[in-house]
């Protein structure tokens, strides 16, 4: 736990609480009055008061002037939100007198270094609709009194040290939409009563010590979208055969002790992500899985599955990742209709599926080989030799992007495909070079089919550099395992000691960095396009952090590494520095990234987390709105200087015309999220999934909100 002594920079929670409680009750007792004047000078220097602070004898509502405290017109505290305030509370949650806030609707103390237990009295906040205590050091049991908060829509106590049983009284929260209990030490079974939460959309119970079977009641939560039961000790079979999970898009039950067969889900048209890996499931893969038409990722590895791989999986046109490692399948892998799939189909006890894996040189990703190529080509991510390895196979293989051929490979020796690239770039002539990145140069290549691709090529001296070679291989490893509409597509790569290059989707408008610094392009990037670029980047990072297992941290989010297509849509690129987060490791690393975008804690801790990307995203979001890198602004913003008293329009790019009313609301939302991402305490930064969800909703602002009347201080 981070601790600090009393200073003018950090105000402990008990001081805030004492003032708030006094103000809300109208109490001006001598003990509080005596301490108030002694603290007044220190409080004034923090910048957390408004410019005009009423004296104690003229107003009893001073608490309403505190940053993070929001009141009604008559001084009733409606919201306490301290998650974005640079505040080390070093106190117990129990010191907050909950009975003093009968009208409280929002209580957010996430990432505030709270310790102690959650007091039973929290159940008296009957008007509460949002409760977040995540990212603290809370211990003990989750009080059953939470079941009294029937207005609650959002409950997050994740990333604490809570233990004991999950109270069955949570089943009373009929209005609950989001329930986050993951990353604690809860034991016992999952309460059957949670199935009563008919409005629940997000249920996260992963990374606990839950035992017993999965209650069948969860299968009838008709609005459930995400279900996370990963990394527990659950056993028995999955009771979803007759489930009515029509809205479910993500089902994660990996790393448990589940047995039985894979359930046949009768209504899975919206299911995109299915992870049943690392269990003891047996039996066949059900043919009906091929009816789940929205599936993009399927992980069934490390089970005891048998039989053949169903041919109906070939109908999953959106499938990009299928992992079947460490099972006991027999027979051949069926061909598929999707040219972009990346399959991992090694299987214990089946040499027929694992015997052809040597001499990989030039890979083309996400493709499927015709059945006529034979058993030797059953890996789906096929390999062909750049030079010296001609074969006798005479099939023509098309590598497609939608309905348009990217290029054709003849005779499966790779010579034609390789030569196509050499001819298209005149052996990587400098006139085809369109940029130089952290490693390698980027070339534009128009292939015989008419398809234009981008090639990132390592120079000879870079290929001999171990760091560049590692970055190259790391980018291949990461991009061949992920796929998202806002992440640049990797079509293939060549790995040879004389020639190493990557084949990417071509981005007509280059990098965001260059677009913002070119007057014509900057004007073309109007407010709507800029907001969409921020949103697209957020969605991509949310996918990497929360939809990938293990999570992926980019480590070098900057305007140089966000590319723009012909429609000015954003694509995250350059994954050479990225890494998978290991839950069993400290994730300590050397500092990587671009100067001006690196999270400040990296220099001290050398530990990489998702919150490093969150900070970098905040810098990029500000850069997009301001039109240039916000270096000096960030410095003044984080030190609470006079910049915070400026209006929002003062920092916006002046090359663009005045935004419309709808654009203003979007801009305010972007700036609010950007400021939150720049918090010096990584625990107080929002997650990318919460940012992505905010951007997916229509901004809810007061009619009076405007970039011309709203100060930076009000937003941050």
């Amino acid at each position: 736990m981070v601790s600090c002594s009393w200073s003018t920079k950090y105000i402990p929670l008990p001081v805030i609480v004492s003032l708030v409680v006094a103000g809300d009750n109208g109490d001006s007792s001598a003990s509080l009055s005596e301490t108030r004047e002694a603290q007044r000078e220190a409080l004034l220097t923090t910048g957390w008061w408004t410019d005009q602070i009423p004296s104690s004898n003229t107003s009893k509502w001073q608490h309403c002037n505190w940053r993070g405290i929001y009141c009604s017109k008559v001084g009733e505290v409606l919201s306490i939100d301290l998650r974005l305030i640079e505040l080390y509370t070093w106190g117990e949650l129990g010191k907050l007198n909950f009975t003093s806030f009968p009208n409280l609707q929002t209580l957010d103390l996430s990432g505030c270094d709270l310790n102690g237990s959650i007091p039973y009295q929290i159940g008296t906040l009957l008007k509460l609709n949002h409760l977040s205590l995540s990212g603290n050091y809370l211990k003990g049991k989750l009080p059953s009194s939470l079941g009294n908060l029937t207005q609650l829509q959002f409950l997050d106590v994740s990333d604490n040290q809570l233990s004991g049983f999950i109270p069955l009284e949570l089943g009373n929260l009929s209005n609950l939409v989001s329930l986050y209990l993951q990353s604690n030490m809860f034991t016992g079974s999952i309460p059957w009563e949670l199935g009563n939460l008919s409005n629940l959309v997000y249920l996260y119970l992963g990374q606990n010590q839950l035992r017993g079977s999965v209650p069948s009641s969860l299968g009838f939560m008709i609005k459930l979208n995400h279900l996370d039961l990963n990394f527990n000790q659950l056993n028995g079979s999955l009771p979803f055969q007759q489930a009515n999970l029509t809205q479910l898009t993500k089902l994660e039950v990996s790393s448990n002790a589940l047995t039985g067969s894979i359930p046949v889900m009768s209504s899975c048209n919206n299911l995109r992500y299915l992870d049943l890996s690392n269990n003891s499931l047996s039996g066949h893969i059900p043919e009906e899985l091929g009816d789940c038409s929205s599936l993009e990722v399927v992980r069934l590895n490390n089970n005891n599955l048998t039989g053949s791989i169903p041919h109906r999986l070939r109908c999953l046109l959106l499938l990009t990742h299928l992992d079947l490692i460490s099972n006991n399948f027999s027979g051949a892998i069926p061909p598929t209709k999707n040219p972009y799939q990346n399959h991992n189909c090694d299987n214990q006890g089946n040499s027929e599926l694992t015997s052809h894996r040597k001499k990989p040189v030039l890979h083309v990703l996400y493709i499927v080989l015709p059945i006529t190529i034979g058993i030797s080509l059953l890996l789906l991510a096929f390999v062909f030799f750049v030079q010296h390895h001609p074969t006798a196979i005479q099939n023509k293989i098309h590598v497609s992007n939608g309905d348009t051929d990217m290029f054709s490979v003849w005779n499966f020796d790779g010579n034609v495909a390789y030569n196509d690239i050499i001819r298209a770039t005149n052996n990587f002539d400098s006139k085809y070079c369109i940029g130089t990145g952290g490693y390698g140069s980027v070339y534009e290549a128009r292939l015989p089919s008419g398809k234009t691709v981008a090639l990132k090529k390592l120079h000879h001296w870079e290929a001999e550099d171990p760091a560049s070679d590692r970055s190259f291989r790391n980018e291949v490893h990461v991009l061949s395992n992920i796929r998202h509409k806002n992440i640049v597509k990797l079509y293939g790569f060549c790995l040879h000691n004389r020639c190493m290059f990557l084949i990417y989707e071509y981005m007509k408008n280059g990098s965001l960095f260059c677009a913002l610094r070119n007057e014509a392009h900057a004007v073309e990037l109007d407010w709507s396009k800029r907001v969409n670029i921020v949103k697209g980047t957020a969605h991509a990072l949310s996918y990497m952090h929360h939809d990938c297992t293990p999570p992926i941290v980019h480590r070098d989010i900057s305007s140089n590494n966000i590319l723009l297509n012909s429609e000015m849509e954003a694509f995250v690129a350059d994954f050479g520095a990225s890494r998978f987060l290991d839950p069993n490791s400290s994730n300590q690393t050397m500092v990587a990234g671009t100067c001006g975008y690196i999270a400040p804690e990296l220099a001290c801790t050398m530990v990489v987390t998702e919150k490093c990307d969150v900070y970098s995203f905040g810098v990029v979001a500000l850069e997009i709105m301001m039109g240039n890198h916000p270096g000096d602004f960030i410095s003044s913003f984080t030190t609470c200087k006079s910049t915070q008293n400026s209006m929002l329009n003062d920092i916006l790019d002046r090359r663009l015309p005045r935004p419309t009313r709808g654009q203003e609301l979007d801009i305010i939302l972007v700036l609010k999220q950007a400021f939150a991402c720049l918090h010096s305490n990584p625990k107080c930064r929002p997650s990318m999934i919460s940012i992505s969800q905010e951007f997916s909703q229509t901004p809810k602002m007061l009619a009076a909100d405007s970039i011309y009347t709203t100060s930076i201080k009000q937003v941050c």
Side-chain angles (χ1 to χ4, degrees):
M1 182 181 70
V2 179
S3 62
C4 62
S5 58
W6 175 269
S7 70
T8 59
K9 187 175 183 181
Y10 302 120
I11 310 301
L13 180 65
V15 175
I16 295 178
V17 172
S18 66
L19 290 177
V20 173
V21 171
D24 206 22
N25 290 336
D27 184 11
S28 58
S29 62
S31 59
L32 289 175
S33 298
E34 290 170 0
T35 59
R36 185 172 299 163
E37 289 303 317
Q39 296 162 355
R40 182 178 178 84
E41 182 176 353
L43 298 177
L44 283 171
T45 62
T46 67
W48 290 359
W49 289 84
T50 55
D51 293 334
Q52 300 298 323
I53 304 174
S55 61
S56 57
N57 59 0
T58 60
S59 174
K60 60 181 180 181
W61 298 335
Q62 293 189 26
H63 56 281
C64 296
N65 295 319
W66 279 87
R67 181 179 169 194
I69 306 297
Y70 303 92
C71 299
S72 67
K73 293 181 179 180
V74 294
E76 300 167 329
V77 176
L78 301 180
S79 173
I80 300 176
D81 186 350
L82 304 184
R83 63 193 162 116
L84 305 182
I85 297 178
E86 192 169 351
L87 172 69
Y88 295 115
T89 60
W90 55 271
E92 294 186 11
L93 180 61
K95 292 185 179 293
L96 192 62
N97 185 1
F98 295 107
T99 60
S100 299
F101 306 101
N103 299 296
L104 194 66
Q105 298 173 13
T106 297
L107 177 62
D108 197 327
L109 301 176
S110 53
C112 286
D113 288 340
L114 291 169
N115 55 37
S117 60
I118 301 176
Y120 190 85
Q121 290 72 20
I122 199 168
T124 63
L125 304 177
L126 300 182
K127 294 187 179 181
L128 205 63
N129 57 49
H130 181 107
L131 173 60
S132 180
L133 304 173
S134 64
N136 285 294
Y137 300 93
L138 299 172
K139 297 182 178 180
K141 297 181 178 181
L142 200 61
S144 60
S145 62
L146 289 173
N148 299 332
L149 307 180
T150 55
Q151 299 302 312
L152 209 58
Q153 298 180 23
F154 183 95
L155 174 57
D156 186 356
V157 294
S158 61
D159 295 294
N160 279 288
Q161 300 169 26
L162 298 169
S163 57
F165 294 173
I166 297 175
L168 56 86
E169 287 81 3
L170 294 184
N172 298 333
L173 306 179
S174 57
N175 290 304
L176 201 62
V177 174
S178 302
L179 177 58
Y180 298 96
L181 306 181
Q182 74 271 23
S183 300
N184 279 287
M185 295 182 290
F186 289 118
T187 56
S189 59
I190 300 174
W192 189 93
E193 288 76 6
L194 292 186
N196 295 332
L197 303 178
S198 57
N199 288 304
L200 201 66
V201 176
Y202 302 100
L203 177 56
Y204 283 77
L205 304 177
Q207 301 182 61
N208 280 290
Q209 300 170 26
L210 298 171
R211 296 177 178 270
S213 59
V214 178
S216 59
S217 60
L218 299 188
F220 299 95
M221 304 171 75
I222 58 175
K223 293 185 180 180
L224 194 63
N225 190 282
H226 285 193
L227 176 58
D228 175 13
L229 305 176
N230 285 336
F231 295 96
N232 279 289
Q233 300 168 33
L234 300 170
N235 53 38
S237 59
L238 285 171
F240 295 150
Q241 285 83 352
Q242 304 299 323
N244 190 27
L245 300 173
T246 56
Q247 301 302 314
L248 192 66
T249 64
K250 187 173 183 180
L251 175 60
E252 298 180 280
V253 203
S254 72
S255 302
N256 282 283
L258 297 171
T259 56
S261 59
I262 297 175
V264 176
M265 299 177 64
S266 58
S267 53
C268 60
N269 291 335
N270 290 308
L271 189 63
R272 294 189 296 107
Y273 188 101
L274 176 63
D275 189 354
L276 306 179
S277 62
N278 298 293
N279 281 287
S280 298
L281 299 174
S282 58
H284 298 181
I285 298 177
E287 286 277 352
E288 291 81 359
L289 194 62
D291 296 332
C292 302
S293 56
S294 296
L295 274 174
E296 299 174 8
V297 175
V298 176
R299 300 181 188 274
L300 304 177
N301 52 293
N302 295 94
N303 279 289
N304 299 318
L305 300 172
T306 57
S308 59
I309 300 172
H311 279 255
R312 284 170 66 179
L313 294 185
R314 70 193 299 269
C315 299
L316 298 176
L317 300 181
L318 300 179
L319 190 65
T320 61
H321 189 96
L322 173 62
D323 194 340
L324 304 177
I325 279 181
S326 297
N327 281 286
N328 297 295
F329 296 116
S330 59
I333 300 174
T336 173
K337 297 178 181 179
N338 183 359
Y340 301 119
Q341 286 177 339
N342 177 29
H343 291 185
N344 195 348
C345 298
D346 296 342
N347 296 276
Q348 294 177 346
N350 190 338
S351 60
E352 185 181 54
L353 296 179
T354 60
S355 59
H356 303 278
R357 304 183 63 187
K358 297 181 180 180
K359 301 180 181 178
V361 181
L362 178 56
H363 298 247
V364 178
L365 305 177
Y366 314 118
I367 65 160
V368 180
L369 307 180
I371 301 176
T372 53
I373 292 178
I375 298 299
S376 64
L377 303 178
L378 289 175
L379 285 177
L380 299 180
F382 74 87
V383 178
F384 58 88
F385 302 105
V386 176
Q387 296 175 343
H388 312 305
H389 296 283
T391 70
I393 300 174
Q394 297 298 317
N395 298 79
K396 181 178 181 180
I397 301 169
H398 294 282
V399 182
S400 302
N401 179 20
D403 296 325
T404 306
D405 285 345
M406 190 178 83
F407 56 78
S408 295
V409 180
W410 291 82
N411 297 327
F412 205 62
D413 61 5
N415 289 325
V416 173
Y418 178 77
N419 290 334
D420 283 347
I421 291 172
I422 296 300
R423 283 194 295 268
T425 60
N426 193 18
N427 197 16
F428 295 101
D429 190 289
S430 59
K431 70 179 181 180
Y432 294 98
C433 183
I434 56 176
T436 301
Y439 66 95
S441 296
V442 181
Y443 297 81
E444 178 181 346
R446 186 175 179 84
L447 299 170
S449 64
K451 178 73 177 180
T452 300
V453 296
L455 307 170
K456 182 190 287 185
K457 179 181 179 295
L458 286 187
H459 301 293
H460 292 302
W461 64 88
E462 291 174 316
E464 296 172 358
D465 176 21
S468 297
D469 183 73
R470 282 195 303 271
S471 294
F472 178 93
R473 295 172 187 271
N474 189 59
E475 185 150 11
V476 170
H477 179 51
V478 172
L479 284 179
S480 62
N481 281 281
I482 62 176
R483 192 165 183 83
H484 186 274
K485 65 179 181 179
N486 294 111
I487 295 177
V488 67
K489 296 178 181 66
L490 179 66
Y491 290 135
F493 61 92
C494 175
L495 178 57
H496 191 273
N497 56 7
R498 293 186 347 204
C499 189
M500 297 174 67
F501 58 84
L502 308 174
I503 310 171
Y504 291 105
E505 179 182 12
Y506 178 69
M507 294 292 162
K508 180 179 180 180
N509 283 308
S511 72
L512 173 64
F513 177 89
C514 293
L516 290 174
R517 282 150 185 82
N518 179 286
E519 292 296 320
H521 284 177
V523 173
E524 186 180 352
L525 282 177
D526 59 30
W527 292 119
S528 295
K529 288 188 175 71
R530 296 194 187 198
V531 169
N532 285 334
I533 290 172
V534 174
K535 291 181 178 180
T537 305
H539 296 328
L541 289 174
S542 175
Y543 166 80
M544 291 163 56
H545 292 180
H546 302 281
D547 290 341
C548 294
T549 305
I552 300 171
V553 179
H554 188 282
R555 292 209 300 166
D556 195 12
I557 293 297
S558 68
S559 57
N560 259 319
N561 291 333
I562 296 174
L563 305 181
L564 305 175
N565 66 3
S566 58
E567 303 298 323
M568 290 296 187
E569 296 171 321
F571 292 79
V572 176
D574 204 338
F575 285 75
S578 62
R579 64 179 295 171
F580 294 92
L581 286 188
D582 184 353
N584 299 314
S585 168
S586 65
N587 293 301
Q588 196 164 23
T589 181
M590 296 297 293
V591 175
T594 303
C595 184
Y597 300 87
I598 301 174
E601 69 272 10
L602 265 183
C604 300
T605 66
M606 307 294 283
V607 175
V608 62
T609 69
E610 296 99 325
K611 294 303 178 74
C612 299
D613 279 353
V614 173
Y615 181 90
S616 302
F617 168 79
V619 178
V620 171
L622 275 184
E623 184 175 358
I624 292 170
M625 294 295 107
M626 297 174 67
N628 52 55
H629 188 277
D632 293 337
F633 172 81
I634 292 178
S635 177
S636 61
F637 166 75
T638 55
T639 54
C640 295
K641 292 183 179 179
S642 57
T643 306
Q644 291 199 7
N645 293 321
S646 303
M647 297 296 111
L648 294 181
N649 70 296
D650 293 334
I651 65 172
L652 297 181
D653 193 341
R654 298 186 182 278
R655 293 174 292 184
L656 296 187
R658 177 171 179 155
T660 65
R661 178 58 180 158
Q663 290 172 338
E664 278 193 67
L665 298 184
D666 284 329
I667 291 170
I668 292 174
L669 177 60
V670 168
L671 292 176
K672 182 178 180 180
Q673 296 298 323
F675 294 148
C677 292
L678 297 177
H679 202 289
S680 60
N681 183 355
K683 283 190 173 183
C684 293
R685 295 173 200 153
S687 65
M688 288 310 307
I689 192 171
S690 66
I691 296 173
S692 177
Q693 289 169 355
E694 286 284 344
F695 286 149
S696 298
Q697 301 172 4
T698 303
K700 295 180 180 180
M701 301 289 180
L702 298 176
D705 284 343
S706 168
I707 59 173
Y708 300 94
T709 59
T710 303
S711 68
I712 295 172
K713 183 178 180 180
Q714 287 175 291
V715 173
C716 67

